[in-house]
Amino acid sequence: MNIVMDTGALHQLLNDVFEQVAGEYEIEEITPEGVRVRLNVGHKHLRPGGTISGPSMFGLADVAVYLAVLSRIGPEALAVTTNSSFDFMRKPDGDKDMIADCRLLKLGRVLAVGDVLLYSEGQEAPVARATLTYSIPPK
């Protein structure tokens, strides 16, 4: 899969199109398989007990697949999630940023499927796993 948008272009797209999350996510790397994205964890991402909330974790996984898809197809802001599955496996560390390693499993003309492992920074074992399907708008 050819890379058509680099990290700078993806950051610019997030800032331009999704300014409500500007600064929350950092694209750390575009990999041969997908992307690595960091959630800069703050107070608004925490739930009682000092853990990262499920919606924050889902948001990170969703953004990671979105960015992985766009890094391959270009700035298609209207690509949307059509399906998701999420497995919470262990408690994340609310004092650490969260890292998403996304791997694109399929990138077709109409649909893309990505698999994401979420980690608390510095931990080897993933805290969650997600699979998301994206619909790519017709050209």
Side-chain angles (χ1 to χ4, degrees):
M1 292 181 258
N2 292 332
I3 297 169
V4 298
M5 290 183 77
D6 64 13
T7 57
L10 291 172
H11 273 293
Q12 190 63 52
L13 179 85
L14 277 182
N15 290 335
D16 292 347
V17 179
F18 297 104
E19 62 189 49
Q20 65 272 30
V21 298
E24 283 191 42
Y25 302 102
E26 291 179 39
I27 301 123
E28 293 196 334
E29 180 182 10
I30 298 174
T31 67
E33 298 83 25
V35 298
R36 177 174 295 123
V37 181
R38 171 184 300 266
L39 171 64
N40 296 312
V41 173
H43 181 72
K44 70 180 179 178
H45 301 110
L46 301 180
R47 55 165 300 174
T51 188
I52 298 170
S53 71
S56 294
M57 293 168 65
F58 176 82
L60 174 59
D62 193 38
V63 165
V65 175
Y66 182 72
L67 293 171
V69 169
L70 296 189
S71 73
R72 275 40 181 207
I73 69 169
E76 192 59 64
L78 295 178
V80 295
T81 309
T82 59
N83 191 45
S84 69
S85 172
F86 215 97
D87 297 306
F88 297 95
M89 298 185 291
R90 54 190 52 84
K91 182 180 175 183
D93 185 345
D95 292 333
K96 305 275 174 100
D97 286 349
M98 183 155 278
I99 310 296
D101 278 327
C102 173
R103 182 172 51 113
L104 287 176
L105 304 175
K106 173 190 176 13
L107 181 61
R109 190 175 43 78
V110 176
L111 292 177
V113 179
D115 191 62
V116 183
L117 290 175
L118 297 176
Y119 299 87
S120 283
E121 184 177 33
Q123 289 183 350
E124 285 188 35
V127 298
R129 178 186 167 274
T131 301
L132 291 98
T133 303
Y134 260 79
S135 175
I136 301 168
K139 297 277 181 196

